[in-house]
């Protein structure tokens, strides 16, 4: 039995999430912040929920 605490390196993004930056109009960010305040959810959580909903309800169409 080892008397040392063995700690493995955690790979970045190992939890299935990735961090990235996005630019939003001030008005849009204000709406997200207000929704976060009203619901008690984090801004990050709400943005993820909103993106998932938008992707599930989006359709690509060809314009001619």
């Amino acid at each position: 039995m080892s008397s040392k605490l063995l700690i493995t390196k955690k790979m970045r993004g190992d939890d299935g999430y990735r961090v990235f930056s996005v630019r939003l109009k001030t008005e849009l960010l204000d709406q997200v912040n207000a929704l976060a305040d009203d619901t008690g959810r984090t801004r990050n959580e709400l943005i993820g929920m909103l993106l998932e909903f938008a992707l599930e309800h989006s359709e690509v169409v060809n314009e001619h």
Side-chain angles (χ1 to χ4, degrees):
M1 177 176 228
S2 175
S3 62
K4 293 185 178 182
L5 173 62
L6 302 177
I7 302 171
T8 60
K9 290 185 179 181
K10 182 177 179 183
M11 300 302 292
R12 187 175 177 157
D14 195 37
D15 61 356
Y17 289 86
R18 298 292 183 266
V19 176
F20 67 96
S21 296
V22 63
R23 288 174 46 132
L24 299 175
K25 290 184 178 181
T26 302
E27 297 82 14
L28 184 57
L29 181 57
D30 290 342
Q31 288 180 298
V32 172
N33 285 334
L35 188 58
D37 289 341
D38 290 345
T39 61
R41 295 184 180 270
T42 66
R43 186 169 53 196
N44 183 70
E45 184 179 10
L46 286 173
I47 290 170
M49 292 169 69
L50 293 166
L51 283 171
E52 281 183 24
F53 180 85
L55 289 170
E56 290 172 2
H57 293 86
S58 296
E59 180 179 345
V60 176
V61 295
N62 291 325
E63 292 186 37
H64 294 286

